[in-house]
Amino acid sequence: QLNQEKWRANNSSYTSDLTDLSWPATSLDQHYGLSVTSPNTNSYAITATAFNTGLQANDSSCLTMTLDQNNNKTSTPTSNCW
């Protein structure tokens, strides 16, 4: 989140481009794909989407986890993944 806030301080809105933030497109453990969704001048959300391979192949409870600019955390299909 800090990189996104630094970006916003120097630009007119948050960015959806992970390379602008020096972030990889996958989690460090390679279990999730990362994306920034719905960026605008006031808000953004960072979403981790589970890959259906490896250790994540059997995890049907936490397919997506999302964190917004206010540190609100959600997940689907269950809500207790964090």
Side-chain angles (χ1 to χ4, degrees):
Q1 286 178 305
L2 182 59
N3 288 9
Q4 188 68 285
E5 295 302 328
K6 286 180 183 178
W7 175 266
R8 176 62 180 91
N10 294 302
N11 295 277
S12 61
S13 65
Y14 292 107
T15 183
S16 63
D17 188 343
L18 294 174
T19 59
D20 289 340
L21 306 172
S22 300
W23 289 352
T26 59
S27 61
L28 295 177
D29 58 13
Q30 304 295 307
H31 298 310
Y32 292 87
L34 305 176
S35 63
V36 178
T37 55
S38 306
N40 58 46
T41 58
N42 299 313
S43 64
Y44 66 91
I46 302 165
T47 301
T49 304
F51 294 129
N52 61 353
T53 59
L55 295 174
Q56 292 306 117
N58 295 322
D59 184 1
S60 60
S61 299
C62 300
L63 299 179
T64 63
M65 295 186 289
T66 303
L67 176 70
D68 73 12
Q69 76 285 346
N70 293 323
N71 207 34
N72 294 313
K73 300 171 184 173
T74 59
S75 58
T76 60
T78 59
S79 60
N80 60 347
C81 297
W82 290 90

